[in-house]
Amino acid sequence: TDKNNIVCFSSNKDEGIVRVFDLMLLNYKSNIMAHKSPILRLAISYSGEYLATSSCKGTTINVFGLPRGERLATYKRGINSAYIFWLGFSMNNDKIITTSDTGTINIFDFIKQE
């Protein structure tokens, strides 16, 4: 589908902005202000409909709709900073999973908070 032609990227100089690019149309779709600090991890759902992000602080996980970038949900991973090793969606997009240097695995039920 056209949703699977999306690529998302960020850099340290972007300070929390994720850029969404359509590979078929070869143009930018949106810029998402995801966090106040630089992005550490990005994950696109298997369906291509959702983007999950974590910043270098690792305290919150934000979920956005693709390609427009509307915020759908925010999850608190903890109050202390953590280095997120892995961030991803379950196969059917109903869970978001993180692992971190705190030795924890967080599993969130993905419910759109529209």
Side-chain angles (χ1 to χ4, degrees):
T1 68
D2 62 306
K3 293 178 185 173
N4 292 328
N5 297 315
I6 298 294
V7 67
C8 299
F9 59 95
S10 185
S11 70
N12 285 342
K13 69 177 184 172
D14 288 333
E15 285 298 318
I17 296 172
V18 176
R19 301 187 189 284
V20 181
F21 191 80
D22 187 312
L23 292 174
M24 289 297 285
L25 300 176
L26 298 176
N27 66 0
Y28 280 105
K29 298 303 274 181
S30 60
N31 288 326
I32 302 169
M33 185 59 203
H35 296 273
K36 293 179 183 173
S37 58
I39 304 297
L40 179 63
R41 296 281 178 250
L42 299 172
I44 297 176
S45 65
Y46 290 96
S47 66
E49 295 177 81
Y50 309 112
L51 167 71
T53 64
S54 73
S55 72
C56 290
K57 289 175 64 177
T59 55
T60 60
I61 307 300
N62 291 322
V63 183
F64 303 91
L66 289 176
R68 293 183 319 186
E70 66 278 9
R71 185 183 309 258
L72 301 176
T74 297
Y75 301 97
K76 291 295 265 181
R77 191 220 41 84
I79 58 172
N80 296 321
S81 293
Y83 184 88
I84 302 294
F85 291 131
W86 190 80
L87 171 66
F89 286 88
S90 61
M91 290 295 285
N92 60 0
N93 300 327
D94 68 339
K95 305 266 190 257
I96 298 166
I97 303 105
T98 67
T99 62
S100 71
D101 66 347
T102 62
T104 60
I105 297 172
N106 296 98
I107 302 172
F108 302 101
D109 289 322
F110 176 43
I111 301 167
K112 293 187 226 176
Q113 301 164 356
E114 300 178 77

